[in-house]
Amino acid sequence: MASAAELERGYQSAVDSGRFADHINELTGLKHRWADDLQSVVRLFQSSDVPLRSQALVQQVLKTMAERINRLGQG
């Protein structure tokens, strides 16, 4: 979650600065780290005893974050 927040802030800052292209390498690295973290979280939940309702709630939150990050990433 922390890497998602960092990535989202990075995208928003790049968009707000009007110099998105200047930050693309940094943002690409952050996005790869976030994707790895996301896969780890999904695997962790799938192999845990967390109730399915709770898993569904977390998945919805992660999906919403991913959609927001992808929109920001389109510059």
Side-chain angles (χ1 to χ4, degrees), residues 7 10-15 17-33 69-75:
L7 178 58
Y11 274 132
Q12 192 62 58
S13 292
V15 168
S17 74
R19 298 185 348 233
F20 188 83
D22 293 346
H23 301 277
I24 195 69
N25 290 335
E26 175 189 357
L27 294 171
T28 298
L30 288 172
K31 189 169 185 179
H32 287 298
R33 189 172 83 209
I69 286 169
N70 286 328
R71 269 194 315 274
L72 287 167
Q74 293 173 358

Side-chain angles (χ1 to χ4, degrees), residues 38-49:
L38 181 60
Q39 287 179 355
S40 295
V41 167
V42 169
R43 281 194 301 271
L44 179 67
F45 269 96
Q46 289 172 342
S47 65
S48 72
D49 292 333

